[in-house]
Amino acid sequence: ELVPSEPGGAVTPMHLLELATRQGADVDKLGKLMDLQLRWQADEARKAFGVALNSFKASAPTITKNKAVDFTSAKGRTHYKHATLDNVSGNIGAALAEVGIFHRWETEQLDGGLIRVTCILTHAMGHSEKVWLQASRDESGNKNNIQAVGSTVTYLQRYTLLAATGMAVQDQDDDGAGGQGTAKMTEAQKADWLASIEALEAQDAAVALWTKIAAACEAIGDVPAYSELHAAMARKRKALGAKL
């Protein structure tokens, strides 16, 4: 007799497999039950990943722009602030680990000189989700070839991790605005981005557009705009058959 061991008396595919084995079921039946068990485990892992990610977002760390860039070149002065990779990865990685999620990156050099970086989030139960972005080498300033590649990889690592976790970088001092940033994207700018998202027809174009949107939101420090545009892009990419 099969005695459920799961909470609430639920019978899992593993219990059925154990029962079938004791009853001498044929190989074909055992194989089907094993496939059912693997699908059940994958679904449980997916649900656990979702719960963990929601828990992370409920108490997500604040990521601030901790480094200023200021140099002058033949093209003029370049001056901006950004969050360094160690700042982004260190804070987000520690918070993810607390809920059983770990992150890593894969890097590829594609035809045409493009560099693709994929951020992979993996839960302790095995479910993984990934986000990838690609861009050309960063040849700004006086970088050599290796530095140009490294700069792009670092840039894409920051943005893929932010995109995978649904986070945005905030300004260091938001004048008491509760961590929401002080600068705001104009409604016209946001409307243009939303229109561009709605017009998307391919995944590659969506990835390229999101890189531009994320950079624009970080430059301004508008967290609400980032969240709204991220949600719009996620819906569009889901309609196109992928996750952001």
Side-chain angles (χ1 to χ4, degrees):
E1 181 181 357
L2 181 65
V3 180
S5 60
E6 292 297 311
V11 178
T12 69
M14 179 57 74
H15 297 143
L16 296 177
L17 182 61
E18 292 172 352
L19 179 61
T21 300
R22 291 199 299 269
Q23 293 178 343
D26 58 45
V27 174
D28 182 61
K29 184 175 182 180
L30 292 176
K32 290 179 179 179
L33 285 172
M34 179 59 73
D35 289 341
L36 181 62
Q37 169 65 15
L38 293 175
R39 291 196 300 271
W40 181 84
Q41 288 177 332
D43 188 56
E44 290 298 297
R46 178 187 60 79
K47 289 188 287 187
F49 178 94
V51 171
L53 191 59
N54 285 336
S55 179
F56 160 80
K57 291 179 179 179
S59 57
T62 298
I63 309 298
T64 59
K65 299 178 182 180
N66 63 315
K67 183 176 181 179
V69 175
D70 192 350
F71 66 89
T72 302
S73 66
K75 297 180 181 179
R77 184 189 181 202
T78 298
H79 177 67
Y80 63 92
K81 293 173 65 177
H82 73 278
T84 58
L85 177 60
D86 60 336
N87 181 26
V88 173
S89 179
N91 283 285
I92 293 179
L96 285 173
E98 290 182 0
V99 297
I101 296 178
F102 307 92
H103 73 280
R104 63 184 179 89
W105 291 281
E106 292 181 351
T107 303
E108 306 168 75
Q109 288 193 280
L110 309 176
D111 293 339
L114 289 175
I115 300 167
R116 176 181 294 174
V117 171
T118 303
C119 179
I120 304 169
L121 301 184
T122 302
H123 186 259
M125 289 183 63
H127 180 77
S128 294
E129 294 191 2
K130 61 181 66 176
V131 171
W132 61 266
L133 294 172
Q134 62 189 40
S136 302
R137 295 184 308 172
D138 176 17
E139 298 179 347
S140 62
N142 297 314
K143 299 182 181 70
N144 60 37
N145 289 336
I146 294 177
Q147 290 171 331
V149 171
S151 178
T152 295
V153 170
T154 298
Y155 177 89
L156 294 177
Q157 285 178 334
R158 289 204 320 267
Y159 279 108
T160 52
L161 181 55
L162 289 168
T165 54
M167 295 192 64
V169 175
Q170 300 177 12
D171 287 324
Q172 286 183 318
D173 183 4
D174 61 6
D175 197 23
Q180 294 302 309
T182 55
K184 297 295 180 183
M185 181 179 292
T186 68
E187 291 302 316
Q189 289 174 321
K190 188 162 60 176
D192 286 343
W193 286 127
L194 289 170
S196 297
I197 291 172
E198 187 58 32
L200 288 169
E201 296 181 353
Q203 292 295 344
D204 287 350
V207 171
L209 178 61
W210 179 250
T211 301
K212 296 178 182 179
I213 292 174
C217 290
E218 181 178 3
I220 297 173
D222 191 338
V223 177
Y226 178 98
S227 299
E228 181 179 347
L229 292 169
H230 183 274
M233 180 63 82
R235 290 193 296 270
K236 185 63 178 181
R237 293 203 64 192
K238 183 177 181 180
L240 292 173
K243 294 181 178 179
L244 180 63

